Amino acid sequence: MKAHDGMYIDGAWRPAAGRDTIEVVNPADEQVIGRVPAGTAEDVDAAVRAARAAFPAWAATPPAERAARLAALRDVLAARAEEIAETVTAELGAPLAFSRSVHAGVPVLVAGSYAELAETHAFEEKVGNSTVYQEPVGVVGAITPWNYPLHQIVAKVAPALAAGCTVVLKPAEDTPLTAQLFAEAVAEAGIPAGVFNLVTGLGPVAGQALAEHADVDLVSFTGSTAVGRRIGAVAGAAVKRVALELGGKSANVILPSADLAKAVNVGVANVMSNSGQTCSAWTRMLVPADRYDEAVGLAAAAAAKYGDRIGPVVNAKQRDRVRGYIEKGVAEGARIVAGGPESPREQGYFVAPTVFADVTEQMTIAQEEIFGPVLSILRYEDEEDALRIANGTVYGLAGAVWAGEESEAVAFARRLDTGQVDINGGRFNPLAPFGGYKQSGVGRELGSHGLSEYLQTKSLQF
Protein backbone atom coordinates (compact mmCIF):
# COMPACT_ATOMS: atom_id res chain seq x y z
CA MET A 1 0.00 0.00 0.00
CA LYS A 2 1.02 3.64 -0.39
CA ALA A 3 1.79 5.26 2.94
CA HIS A 4 -0.32 8.21 4.08
CA ASP A 5 1.69 11.34 4.89
CA GLY A 6 -0.69 12.51 7.61
CA MET A 7 -2.56 11.44 10.72
CA TYR A 8 -6.09 10.03 10.78
CA ILE A 9 -7.86 12.45 13.13
CA ASP A 10 -11.57 13.20 13.42
CA GLY A 11 -12.45 11.11 10.39
CA ALA A 12 -9.93 12.57 7.93
CA TRP A 13 -6.25 12.38 7.00
CA ARG A 14 -4.65 15.57 8.28
CA PRO A 15 -1.13 16.96 7.91
CA ALA A 16 1.22 16.21 10.80
CA ALA A 17 2.29 19.03 13.08
CA GLY A 18 5.98 18.40 12.41
CA ARG A 19 8.10 17.50 9.40
CA ASP A 20 10.01 14.50 10.75
CA THR A 21 9.25 11.10 9.25
CA ILE A 22 9.88 7.45 10.08
CA GLU A 23 11.27 5.07 7.47
CA VAL A 24 9.49 1.74 7.15
CA VAL A 25 11.99 -0.99 6.26
CA ASN A 26 11.33 -4.46 4.87
CA PRO A 27 13.32 -6.72 7.25
CA ALA A 28 13.75 -9.42 4.60
CA ASP A 29 15.75 -7.26 2.17
CA GLU A 30 16.49 -4.12 4.25
CA GLN A 31 14.84 -1.85 1.67
CA VAL A 32 12.80 1.23 2.60
CA ILE A 33 9.19 0.63 1.56
CA GLY A 34 7.57 3.79 2.89
CA ARG A 35 7.67 6.77 5.23
CA VAL A 36 5.12 7.95 7.76
CA PRO A 37 4.95 11.07 9.92
CA ALA A 38 6.72 11.08 13.28
CA GLY A 39 3.93 12.38 15.47
CA THR A 40 4.42 15.00 18.16
CA ALA A 41 2.63 15.92 21.36
CA GLU A 42 0.66 18.42 19.27
CA ASP A 43 -0.62 15.64 17.00
CA VAL A 44 -1.55 13.55 20.02
CA ASP A 45 -3.40 16.47 21.58
CA ALA A 46 -5.43 17.02 18.40
CA ALA A 47 -6.35 13.34 18.28
CA VAL A 48 -7.33 13.21 21.95
CA ARG A 49 -9.46 16.33 21.58
CA ALA A 50 -11.25 14.71 18.63
CA ALA A 51 -11.82 11.54 20.65
CA ARG A 52 -13.12 13.52 23.63
CA ALA A 53 -15.54 15.48 21.46
CA ALA A 54 -16.86 12.28 19.85
CA PHE A 55 -17.24 10.38 23.11
CA PRO A 56 -20.66 11.53 24.34
CA ALA A 57 -22.47 10.62 21.12
CA TRP A 58 -20.67 7.29 20.70
CA ALA A 59 -21.22 6.34 24.35
CA ALA A 60 -24.94 7.07 23.91
CA THR A 61 -25.17 5.01 20.72
CA PRO A 62 -27.25 1.87 21.38
CA PRO A 63 -25.11 -1.28 21.67
CA ALA A 64 -26.89 -2.80 18.67
CA GLU A 65 -25.74 0.09 16.48
CA ARG A 66 -22.19 -0.16 17.78
CA ALA A 67 -22.36 -3.86 17.01
CA ALA A 68 -23.44 -3.12 13.44
CA ARG A 69 -20.43 -0.82 12.91
CA LEU A 70 -18.09 -3.49 14.30
CA ALA A 71 -19.67 -6.10 12.02
CA ALA A 72 -19.07 -3.77 9.10
CA LEU A 73 -15.45 -3.35 10.21
CA ARG A 74 -15.07 -7.14 10.37
CA ASP A 75 -16.40 -7.42 6.83
CA VAL A 76 -14.03 -4.74 5.51
CA LEU A 77 -11.05 -6.45 7.13
CA ALA A 78 -12.13 -9.75 5.59
CA ALA A 79 -12.54 -8.18 2.14
CA ARG A 80 -9.09 -6.57 2.35
CA ALA A 81 -7.36 -9.62 3.86
CA GLU A 82 -4.93 -10.13 0.99
CA GLU A 83 -3.82 -6.50 1.03
CA ILE A 84 -3.40 -6.70 4.80
CA ALA A 85 -1.35 -9.90 4.56
CA GLU A 86 0.93 -8.44 1.90
CA THR A 87 1.45 -5.29 3.97
CA VAL A 88 2.30 -7.22 7.13
CA THR A 89 4.72 -9.41 5.18
CA ALA A 90 6.40 -6.32 3.71
CA GLU A 91 6.93 -4.45 6.99
CA LEU A 92 7.26 -7.34 9.48
CA GLY A 93 8.83 -10.02 7.28
CA ALA A 94 6.41 -12.83 8.14
CA PRO A 95 5.97 -15.48 5.43
CA LEU A 96 2.94 -14.65 3.31
CA ALA A 97 1.09 -17.86 4.19
CA PHE A 98 1.43 -17.04 7.90
CA SER A 99 0.35 -13.46 7.30
CA ARG A 100 -2.75 -14.67 5.49
CA SER A 101 -3.81 -17.20 8.12
CA VAL A 102 -2.79 -15.41 11.32
CA HIS A 103 -1.97 -11.74 10.81
CA ALA A 104 -4.95 -11.11 8.53
CA GLY A 105 -7.23 -13.96 9.60
CA VAL A 106 -7.30 -13.73 13.40
CA PRO A 107 -8.30 -10.03 13.54
CA VAL A 108 -11.41 -10.84 11.52
CA LEU A 109 -12.42 -13.41 14.15
CA VAL A 110 -11.73 -11.00 17.00
CA ALA A 111 -13.60 -8.10 15.40
CA GLY A 112 -16.54 -10.43 14.78
CA SER A 113 -16.51 -11.62 18.38
CA TYR A 114 -16.89 -8.05 19.63
CA ALA A 115 -19.66 -7.33 17.17
CA GLU A 116 -21.54 -10.16 18.87
CA LEU A 117 -20.56 -9.17 22.41
CA ALA A 118 -21.67 -5.58 21.86
CA GLU A 119 -25.21 -6.93 21.37
CA THR A 120 -25.24 -9.70 23.96
CA HIS A 121 -23.29 -8.22 26.88
CA ALA A 122 -25.37 -7.27 29.93
CA PHE A 123 -24.64 -3.56 30.27
CA GLU A 124 -27.40 -3.37 32.91
CA GLU A 125 -28.46 -5.82 35.63
CA LYS A 126 -30.57 -5.98 38.76
CA VAL A 127 -28.79 -6.84 42.03
CA GLY A 128 -31.23 -6.87 44.93
CA ASN A 129 -32.66 -3.38 45.26
CA SER A 130 -29.97 -1.94 42.95
CA THR A 131 -29.60 -1.49 39.23
CA VAL A 132 -25.97 -1.87 38.15
CA TYR A 133 -24.84 -0.20 34.95
CA GLN A 134 -21.63 -0.81 33.03
CA GLU A 135 -20.57 2.36 31.26
CA PRO A 136 -17.67 3.20 28.94
CA VAL A 137 -14.48 4.41 30.61
CA GLY A 138 -14.02 7.30 28.18
CA VAL A 139 -11.08 8.08 25.89
CA VAL A 140 -8.66 5.19 25.43
CA GLY A 141 -5.01 5.59 24.51
CA ALA A 142 -3.97 2.36 22.74
CA ILE A 143 -0.25 1.71 22.26
CA THR A 144 0.43 -1.41 20.22
CA PRO A 145 3.51 -3.50 19.31
CA TRP A 146 4.92 -4.62 16.00
CA ASN A 147 4.90 -8.41 16.39
CA TYR A 148 1.19 -8.93 15.60
CA PRO A 149 0.43 -5.48 14.23
CA LEU A 150 -3.22 -5.86 13.22
CA HIS A 151 -4.26 -8.38 15.85
CA GLN A 152 -2.98 -6.19 18.66
CA ILE A 153 -4.82 -3.17 17.23
CA VAL A 154 -8.11 -5.04 16.88
CA ALA A 155 -7.75 -6.67 20.32
CA LYS A 156 -7.74 -3.17 21.85
CA VAL A 157 -9.84 -1.05 19.51
CA ALA A 158 -12.72 -3.49 18.96
CA PRO A 159 -13.63 -3.98 22.66
CA ALA A 160 -13.13 -0.27 23.34
CA LEU A 161 -15.60 0.63 20.58
CA ALA A 162 -18.00 -2.12 21.68
CA ALA A 163 -17.96 -0.64 25.18
CA GLY A 164 -18.73 2.85 23.86
CA CYS A 165 -15.24 4.31 24.29
CA THR A 166 -13.39 6.41 21.74
CA VAL A 167 -9.77 5.67 20.86
CA VAL A 168 -6.45 7.22 19.94
CA LEU A 169 -4.04 4.62 18.57
CA LYS A 170 -0.25 4.94 18.58
CA PRO A 171 1.07 1.89 16.68
CA ALA A 172 4.63 0.57 16.70
CA GLU A 173 6.98 2.56 14.49
CA ASP A 174 8.15 -0.60 12.68
CA THR A 175 4.69 -1.52 11.39
CA PRO A 176 2.69 1.68 10.85
CA LEU A 177 1.44 0.78 7.37
CA THR A 178 -0.81 -1.93 8.78
CA ALA A 179 -2.23 0.64 11.21
CA GLN A 180 -2.96 3.01 8.34
CA LEU A 181 -4.79 0.21 6.55
CA PHE A 182 -6.86 -0.29 9.68
CA ALA A 183 -7.75 3.40 9.74
CA GLU A 184 -8.93 3.11 6.14
CA ALA A 185 -11.07 0.13 7.15
CA VAL A 186 -12.59 2.11 10.03
CA ALA A 187 -13.61 4.86 7.62
CA GLU A 188 -14.99 2.36 5.12
CA ALA A 189 -17.02 0.67 7.88
CA GLY A 190 -18.81 3.94 8.64
CA ILE A 191 -17.53 4.42 12.17
CA PRO A 192 -18.22 8.08 13.03
CA ALA A 193 -15.53 10.75 12.90
CA GLY A 194 -13.48 11.08 16.06
CA VAL A 195 -14.41 7.67 17.43
CA PHE A 196 -11.10 6.24 16.19
CA ASN A 197 -7.96 8.31 15.63
CA LEU A 198 -4.44 7.33 14.55
CA VAL A 199 -1.14 9.04 15.36
CA THR A 200 2.05 7.41 14.07
CA GLY A 201 5.28 8.17 15.85
CA LEU A 202 8.01 7.10 18.24
CA GLY A 203 7.26 5.68 21.66
CA PRO A 204 9.27 8.19 23.73
CA VAL A 205 7.52 11.08 21.94
CA ALA A 206 4.02 10.23 20.73
CA GLY A 207 3.56 7.24 23.03
CA GLN A 208 4.60 9.15 26.11
CA ALA A 209 2.43 12.13 25.17
CA LEU A 210 -0.56 9.81 24.82
CA ALA A 211 0.05 8.06 28.14
CA GLU A 212 0.50 11.38 29.95
CA HIS A 213 -2.42 13.24 28.36
CA ALA A 214 -4.85 14.47 31.00
CA ASP A 215 -7.88 13.73 28.81
CA VAL A 216 -7.02 10.05 28.30
CA ASP A 217 -8.98 7.93 30.77
CA LEU A 218 -7.35 4.54 30.16
CA VAL A 219 -4.05 3.47 28.60
CA SER A 220 -3.93 0.02 27.01
CA PHE A 221 -0.36 -1.02 26.23
CA THR A 222 1.24 -4.17 24.86
CA GLY A 223 5.03 -4.40 24.86
CA SER A 224 8.01 -4.84 27.12
CA THR A 225 7.75 -5.05 30.88
CA ALA A 226 10.21 -2.16 31.22
CA VAL A 227 8.03 0.21 29.20
CA GLY A 228 4.93 -1.14 30.93
CA ARG A 229 6.39 -0.13 34.29
CA ARG A 230 6.93 3.43 33.05
CA ILE A 231 3.39 3.67 31.69
CA GLY A 232 2.03 2.26 34.94
CA ALA A 233 3.95 4.88 36.90
CA VAL A 234 2.63 7.71 34.71
CA ALA A 235 -0.92 6.42 34.95
CA GLY A 236 -0.64 5.86 38.68
CA ALA A 237 0.39 9.46 39.26
CA ALA A 238 -2.83 10.56 37.55
CA VAL A 239 -4.93 7.73 39.07
CA LYS A 240 -5.60 6.63 35.50
CA ARG A 241 -6.62 3.09 34.56
CA VAL A 242 -4.21 0.87 32.66
CA ALA A 243 -4.31 -2.47 30.87
CA LEU A 244 -0.81 -3.87 30.39
CA GLU A 245 0.05 -6.98 28.37
CA LEU A 246 3.78 -7.42 28.88
CA GLY A 247 6.57 -9.99 28.61
CA GLY A 248 6.61 -13.74 28.94
CA LYS A 249 8.91 -16.71 29.46
CA SER A 250 6.36 -19.46 29.15
CA ALA A 251 7.00 -23.07 30.10
CA ASN A 252 6.04 -26.06 27.97
CA VAL A 253 5.80 -28.82 30.59
CA ILE A 254 5.93 -32.35 29.19
CA LEU A 255 4.88 -34.77 31.91
CA PRO A 256 6.21 -38.39 31.87
CA SER A 257 2.94 -39.83 30.55
CA ALA A 258 2.80 -37.49 27.53
CA ASP A 259 3.35 -38.36 23.88
CA LEU A 260 6.89 -36.98 23.84
CA ALA A 261 7.32 -36.75 20.07
CA LYS A 262 4.08 -34.82 19.59
CA ALA A 263 4.72 -32.51 22.52
CA VAL A 264 8.25 -31.70 21.36
CA ASN A 265 7.30 -31.11 17.73
CA VAL A 266 4.36 -28.86 18.59
CA GLY A 267 6.52 -27.07 21.14
CA VAL A 268 9.23 -26.31 18.60
CA ALA A 269 6.63 -25.09 16.10
CA ASN A 270 5.18 -22.78 18.75
CA VAL A 271 8.57 -21.17 19.43
CA MET A 272 9.48 -20.75 15.75
CA SER A 273 6.10 -19.26 14.81
CA ASN A 274 6.37 -15.59 13.79
CA SER A 275 10.17 -15.94 14.02
CA GLY A 276 9.87 -16.35 17.77
CA GLN A 277 8.39 -12.88 18.13
CA THR A 278 5.44 -13.95 20.27
CA CYS A 279 5.12 -12.91 23.91
CA SER A 280 3.28 -16.13 24.79
CA ALA A 281 5.76 -18.49 23.06
CA TRP A 282 6.69 -21.60 25.04
CA THR A 283 10.40 -20.80 25.08
CA ARG A 284 11.23 -23.12 28.00
CA MET A 285 10.66 -26.83 27.35
CA LEU A 286 10.64 -28.90 30.53
CA VAL A 287 11.14 -32.66 30.10
CA PRO A 288 11.73 -35.60 32.48
CA ALA A 289 15.41 -36.26 33.17
CA ASP A 290 15.19 -39.87 32.01
CA ARG A 291 13.89 -38.80 28.57
CA TYR A 292 15.99 -35.66 28.23
CA ASP A 293 18.37 -36.87 25.52
CA GLU A 294 15.48 -38.18 23.45
CA ALA A 295 13.67 -34.85 23.70
CA VAL A 296 16.79 -32.91 22.74
CA GLY A 297 17.26 -35.05 19.64
CA LEU A 298 13.64 -34.62 18.60
CA ALA A 299 13.79 -30.85 19.12
CA ALA A 300 17.03 -30.45 17.16
CA ALA A 301 15.59 -32.40 14.23
CA ALA A 302 12.36 -30.40 14.31
CA ALA A 303 14.17 -27.04 14.44
CA ALA A 304 16.34 -27.95 11.47
CA LYS A 305 13.21 -28.05 9.30
CA TYR A 306 12.48 -24.37 9.98
CA GLY A 307 15.65 -22.96 8.44
CA ASP A 308 13.91 -21.80 5.26
CA ARG A 309 10.39 -21.58 6.69
CA ILE A 310 10.58 -18.62 9.06
CA GLY A 311 11.04 -14.98 8.21
CA PRO A 312 13.47 -12.45 9.64
CA VAL A 313 13.09 -10.66 12.93
CA VAL A 314 11.73 -7.15 12.68
CA ASN A 315 14.88 -5.01 12.56
CA ALA A 316 18.66 -4.97 12.95
CA LYS A 317 18.47 -4.06 16.64
CA GLN A 318 16.26 -7.05 17.37
CA ARG A 319 18.50 -9.36 15.31
CA ASP A 320 21.55 -8.25 17.28
CA ARG A 321 19.66 -8.58 20.57
CA VAL A 322 18.67 -12.18 19.82
CA ARG A 323 22.18 -13.09 18.70
CA GLY A 324 23.52 -11.56 21.91
CA TYR A 325 21.29 -13.87 23.95
CA ILE A 326 22.49 -16.89 21.96
CA GLU A 327 26.10 -15.94 22.62
CA LYS A 328 25.32 -15.45 26.30
CA GLY A 329 23.74 -18.87 26.47
CA VAL A 330 26.94 -20.44 25.18
CA ALA A 331 29.06 -18.36 27.55
CA GLU A 332 26.99 -19.54 30.53
CA GLY A 333 27.41 -23.21 29.61
CA ALA A 334 24.38 -24.14 27.52
CA ARG A 335 24.90 -26.36 24.48
CA ILE A 336 23.64 -25.45 20.99
CA VAL A 337 22.07 -28.44 19.24
CA ALA A 338 20.48 -26.49 16.37
CA GLY A 339 21.14 -23.07 14.87
CA GLY A 340 23.48 -20.60 16.54
CA PRO A 341 24.44 -16.93 16.43
CA GLU A 342 25.72 -16.91 12.85
CA SER A 343 23.38 -15.31 10.32
CA PRO A 344 21.85 -17.86 7.93
CA ARG A 345 21.63 -15.27 5.11
CA GLU A 346 23.73 -12.42 3.82
CA GLN A 347 20.81 -10.00 3.51
CA GLY A 348 17.93 -9.34 5.87
CA TYR A 349 17.56 -9.54 9.63
CA PHE A 350 17.50 -13.33 9.87
CA VAL A 351 18.29 -15.45 12.91
CA ALA A 352 18.80 -19.19 12.68
CA PRO A 353 16.20 -21.33 14.49
CA THR A 354 18.15 -22.22 17.61
CA VAL A 355 17.76 -24.91 20.29
CA PHE A 356 19.76 -25.04 23.52
CA ALA A 357 20.34 -28.15 25.64
CA ASP A 358 21.93 -28.39 29.10
CA VAL A 359 20.07 -25.25 30.18
CA THR A 360 19.74 -24.65 33.91
CA GLU A 361 17.05 -22.50 35.44
CA GLN A 362 19.50 -19.81 36.60
CA MET A 363 20.83 -19.09 33.10
CA THR A 364 19.90 -15.83 31.41
CA ILE A 365 18.30 -17.63 28.48
CA ALA A 366 16.00 -19.44 30.93
CA GLN A 367 14.95 -16.26 32.74
CA GLU A 368 14.76 -13.38 30.25
CA GLU A 369 12.48 -12.90 27.26
CA ILE A 370 14.56 -13.24 24.07
CA PHE A 371 11.81 -12.60 21.51
CA GLY A 372 13.41 -14.63 18.75
CA PRO A 373 13.46 -18.22 17.46
CA VAL A 374 15.33 -19.62 20.46
CA LEU A 375 14.25 -22.61 22.58
CA SER A 376 15.78 -23.67 25.90
CA ILE A 377 15.33 -27.29 27.05
CA LEU A 378 15.49 -27.94 30.80
CA ARG A 379 15.35 -31.27 32.66
CA TYR A 380 13.35 -31.95 35.80
CA GLU A 381 13.45 -34.81 38.31
CA ASP A 382 9.79 -35.10 39.35
CA GLU A 383 6.51 -33.22 39.10
CA GLU A 384 7.24 -30.90 42.03
CA ASP A 385 10.60 -30.02 40.50
CA ALA A 386 8.87 -29.27 37.18
CA LEU A 387 6.37 -27.01 38.92
CA ARG A 388 9.11 -25.14 40.76
CA ILE A 389 11.06 -24.55 37.54
CA ALA A 390 7.95 -23.58 35.54
CA ASN A 391 6.95 -20.98 38.16
CA GLY A 392 10.51 -19.80 38.68
CA THR A 393 10.53 -16.61 36.61
CA VAL A 394 9.11 -13.11 37.07
CA TYR A 395 6.68 -13.80 34.22
CA GLY A 396 3.38 -15.64 34.06
CA LEU A 397 1.76 -15.06 30.68
CA ALA A 398 1.13 -18.44 29.06
CA GLY A 399 2.28 -22.04 28.94
CA ALA A 400 1.46 -25.60 27.98
CA VAL A 401 1.08 -28.93 29.73
CA TRP A 402 1.14 -32.35 28.09
CA ALA A 403 0.06 -35.62 29.72
CA GLY A 404 -1.43 -38.96 28.76
CA GLU A 405 -4.67 -38.10 30.52
CA GLU A 406 -6.26 -34.69 30.18
CA SER A 407 -7.18 -34.65 33.88
CA GLU A 408 -3.52 -35.06 34.82
CA ALA A 409 -2.53 -32.11 32.64
CA VAL A 410 -5.35 -29.97 34.03
CA ALA A 411 -4.35 -30.73 37.63
CA PHE A 412 -0.80 -29.58 36.91
CA ALA A 413 -1.92 -26.52 34.93
CA ARG A 414 -4.09 -25.33 37.83
CA ARG A 415 -0.89 -25.01 39.89
CA LEU A 416 0.95 -22.86 37.34
CA ASP A 417 1.31 -19.14 38.04
CA THR A 418 0.27 -18.10 34.57
CA GLY A 419 -2.69 -16.57 32.82
CA GLN A 420 -3.32 -19.02 29.98
CA VAL A 421 -2.34 -22.69 29.53
CA ASP A 422 -2.82 -24.95 26.52
CA ILE A 423 -3.66 -28.54 27.45
CA ASN A 424 -2.25 -31.20 25.10
CA GLY A 425 -2.04 -28.71 22.24
CA GLY A 426 -5.33 -26.88 22.85
CA ARG A 427 -6.54 -24.66 20.01
CA PHE A 428 -6.60 -20.85 20.02
CA ASN A 429 -9.89 -19.46 21.30
CA PRO A 430 -10.62 -15.79 20.45
CA LEU A 431 -13.16 -15.63 23.29
CA ALA A 432 -10.78 -16.83 26.03
CA PRO A 433 -9.22 -14.13 28.23
CA PHE A 434 -5.54 -13.49 27.51
CA GLY A 435 -3.20 -11.84 29.99
CA GLY A 436 -0.66 -12.55 32.65
CA TYR A 437 0.24 -13.08 36.27
CA LYS A 438 3.17 -11.35 38.01
CA GLN A 439 5.23 -9.07 35.74
CA SER A 440 3.43 -10.25 32.60
CA GLY A 441 0.81 -7.59 33.02
CA VAL A 442 -2.42 -6.19 34.40
CA GLY A 443 -5.82 -6.91 32.90
CA ARG A 444 -7.07 -9.17 30.15
CA GLU A 445 -7.71 -9.03 26.41
CA LEU A 446 -10.20 -10.92 24.21
CA GLY A 447 -13.73 -12.06 24.91
CA SER A 448 -15.99 -10.67 27.61
CA HIS A 449 -13.05 -10.18 29.99
CA GLY A 450 -11.39 -7.97 27.39
CA LEU A 451 -14.58 -5.95 27.02
CA SER A 452 -14.76 -5.41 30.77
CA GLU A 453 -11.41 -3.59 30.74
CA TYR A 454 -13.12 -0.68 28.96
CA LEU A 455 -16.15 -0.48 31.25
CA GLN A 456 -16.72 1.12 34.65
CA THR A 457 -19.50 0.29 37.08
CA LYS A 458 -22.26 2.46 38.52
CA SER A 459 -25.00 1.29 40.88
CA LEU A 460 -28.36 2.93 41.64
CA GLN A 461 -30.21 1.92 44.80
CA PHE A 462 -34.03 1.97 44.97
Side-chain angles (χ1 to χ4, degrees), residues 85-302:
E86 291 174 355
T87 301
V88 173
T89 291
E91 61 181 355
L92 179 64
L96 187 56
F98 188 77
S99 290
R100 285 171 174 150
S101 62
V102 176
H103 288 296
V106 171
V108 174
L109 296 176
V110 174
S113 74
Y114 282 111
E116 295 180 10
L117 278 168
E119 277 201 283
T120 61
H121 184 78
F123 291 96
E124 177 183 338
E125 64 174 334
K126 287 284 188 180
V127 181
N129 65 305
S130 302
T131 301
V132 179
Y133 297 91
Q134 291 190 320
E135 301 176 343
V137 169
V139 175
V140 173
I143 304 173
T144 56
W146 44 260
N147 60 325
Y148 288 89
L150 185 60
H151 168 64
Q152 295 288 356
I153 290 170
V154 172
K156 297 182 188 305
V157 175
L161 299 191
C165 297
T166 55
V167 179
V168 177
L169 169 68
K170 204 298 286 183
E173 51 263 35
D174 290 288
T175 54
L177 303 183
T178 301
Q180 290 188 342
L181 269 179
F182 179 78
E184 292 178 1
V186 165
E188 191 174 340
I191 292 171
V195 171
F196 170 82
N197 307 273
L198 168 67
V199 175
T200 55
L202 301 175
V205 180
Q208 183 167 329
L210 184 58
E212 292 178 344
H213 201 289
D215 237 0
V216 170
D217 300 294
L218 181 151
V219 180
S220 180
F221 169 78
T222 297
S224 72
T225 298
V227 176
R229 288 193 194 100
R230 293 201 294 272
I231 289 174
V234 168
V239 196
K240 181 182 302 187
R241 284 177 57 173
V242 294
L244 305 173
E245 197 269 281
L246 308 175
K249 194 67 183 175
S250 301
N252 179 17
V253 182
I254 305 174
L255 295 176
S257 62
D259 180 336
L260 184 68
K262 181 178 180 180
V264 169
N265 282 307
V266 174
V268 170
N270 175 277
V271 172
M272 301 308 162
S273 177
N274 209 41
S275 302
Q277 299 169 131
T278 303
C279 55
S280 58
W282 312 331
T283 51
R284 295 181 297 145
M285 182 179 289
L286 277 57
V287 297
D290 61 358
R291 302 195 71 183
Y292 187 79
D293 291 341
E294 182 184 358
V296 167
L298 288 167

Side-chain angles (χ1 to χ4, degrees), residues 70 106 109-118 120-121 123 134 151 154-160 162-163 420 428-435 443-455:
L70 285 167
V106 171
L109 296 176
V110 174
S113 74
Y114 282 111
E116 295 180 10
L117 278 168
T120 61
H121 184 78
F123 291 96
Q134 291 190 320
H151 168 64
V154 172
K156 297 182 188 305
V157 175
Q420 190 173 83
F428 171 74
N429 178 3
L431 297 178
F434 180 75
R444 292 295 182 268
E445 293 187 329
L446 304 181
S448 60
H449 292 268
L451 178 63
S452 295
E453 294 294 330
Y454 301 93
L455 294 167

Side-chain angles (χ1 to χ4, degrees), residues 363-375:
M363 290 180 178
T364 303
I365 59 172
Q367 290 292 322
E368 297 184 10
E369 185 176 46
I370 298 173
F371 227 59
V374 181
L375 170 66

